[in-house]
Amino acid sequence: MRINQLMLRAAAAHCGRWTAVNQIIRTNSGMAEFREIFSKARHIAIITGAGVSAESGVPTIRGAEGRWRTWKTQDLATPECFSRHPSRVWEFYQYRRELTLNAPPSGAHRAIAECEARLSRQGRSLVVITQNIDELHQRAGSRHVLEVHGNLFQTRCLSCGDVEINHKSPICPSLEGKGSPDPDAPDALIPVKDLPRCDEKGCDGLLRPHVVWFGETLDSQILTKVEKELETCDLCVVVGTSSVVYPAAMFGPQVAARGVPVAEFNTKTTANTPRFKFHFPGRCAETLPAALARHESEII
């Protein structure tokens, strides 16, 4: 994805900080030290990636799981592919929607939601900045969620631009039973007139998933909110992300450049690991609940 101009301006504004980012910060695996910092933090930003949802059974777009039938999912999730093969792309998203609707929030999702609710009663705050489009954070109970890459359960009309929440299963009659990931499954070749259509009076335009596809820029309004959160947080937690997708890969280092502690929870190290104060290896559904559990100093 191209880096949104807003993020380029933000990066320029922080140019002095990026010098500090380039310095290698000692990575610490000490949970006790993290917990002490956590107990004093007033505004926590949690950045989540595909690894959080992978533990719920939702396959990642990238990597070995990043295929649907015989196609790379990165090739399907583009405006060009939707223009050429709208039926195929909608089959793919029908599959993703049904898979996600049946996926339970992971232990990491639940730990984040519980922590947010608990801290809010103490006058503290927690925001989730997620690259995921599956709504599993919201289903777990998180209320303050910024979706950087859009939402699988929203649609946008290509004619009138109307954006609507849509949890229909299937999303339209012609897609019922469609979307099998079997490599031998043929394209359904659904006529465009029978694909999801706009309900706005007098429109009937073709709908597309309201997500950010490869080659598209991110929503500047969402990025403005993200920037504000990154500027004000006093603790940052990066969970289940490979730190290769921009601009989200810049978020953790941007906070670390301010001298704010950043803790990374991931199954393996990433390119950003040396820039963070903490790295906790392992499945985040197992490591995060203990990290975000009630501290003995908290007053309920």
Side-chain angles (χ1 to χ4, degrees), residues 127-247:
V127 61
V128 177
I129 301 168
T130 186
Q131 300 173 70
N132 301 332
I133 62 174
D134 49 42
E135 282 192 351
L136 286 172
H137 281 297
Q138 292 91 325
R139 283 170 49 193
S142 291
R143 295 182 178 275
H144 192 184
V145 181
L146 296 177
E147 296 170 311
V148 177
H149 292 159
N151 187 310
L152 185 59
F153 298 102
Q154 292 180 7
T155 58
R156 183 168 80 248
C157 177
L158 293 181
S159 296
C160 72
D162 182 57
V163 175
E164 296 287 345
I165 296 172
N166 188 315
H167 291 92
K168 293 179 182 177
S169 175
I171 191 170
C172 70
S174 64
L175 282 165
E176 184 170 8
K178 302 298 192 298
S180 168
D182 187 336
D184 295 325
D187 276 6
L189 300 177
I190 300 168
V192 174
K193 66 181 180 62
D194 295 328
L195 292 174
R197 312 295 299 193
C198 183
D199 289 332
E200 286 293 295
K201 186 175 180 180
C203 183
D204 195 42
L206 177 64
L207 299 179
R208 58 160 280 178
H210 188 49
V211 298
V212 179
W213 281 332
F214 291 93
E216 295 181 326
T217 56
L218 275 61
D219 186 326
S220 62
Q221 293 182 338
I222 295 295
L223 288 178
T224 297
K225 294 177 181 178
V226 168
E227 182 70 12
K228 181 178 179 181
E229 299 292 346
L230 297 179
E231 286 284 351
T232 57
C233 70
D234 53 5
L235 173 63
C236 180
V237 179
V238 180
V239 188
T241 175
S242 58
S243 295
V244 297
V245 179
Y246 285 83

Side-chain angles (χ1 to χ4, degrees), residues 41-94:
R42 304 297 301 175
H43 180 61
I44 301 172
I46 298 187
I47 301 166
T48 67
V52 177
S53 294
E55 294 183 3
S56 291
V58 178
T60 61
I61 289 290
R62 295 171 180 269
E65 294 183 315
R67 300 191 74 86
W68 177 79
R69 294 183 181 167
T70 59
W71 294 283
K72 291 182 179 179
T73 53
Q74 290 174 250
D75 295 333
L76 294 168
T78 69
E80 293 79 13
C81 189
F82 188 71
S83 177
R84 294 193 301 268
H85 307 289
S87 174
R88 179 185 300 166
V89 173
W90 261 121
E91 273 202 272
F92 167 64
Y93 279 99
Q94 170 67 14

Side-chain angles (χ1 to χ4, degrees), residues 246-267:
Y246 285 83
M250 299 193 308
F251 295 163
Q254 179 177 329
V255 175
R258 291 200 292 115
V260 173
V262 179
E264 181 182 57
F265 292 77
N266 207 8
T267 54

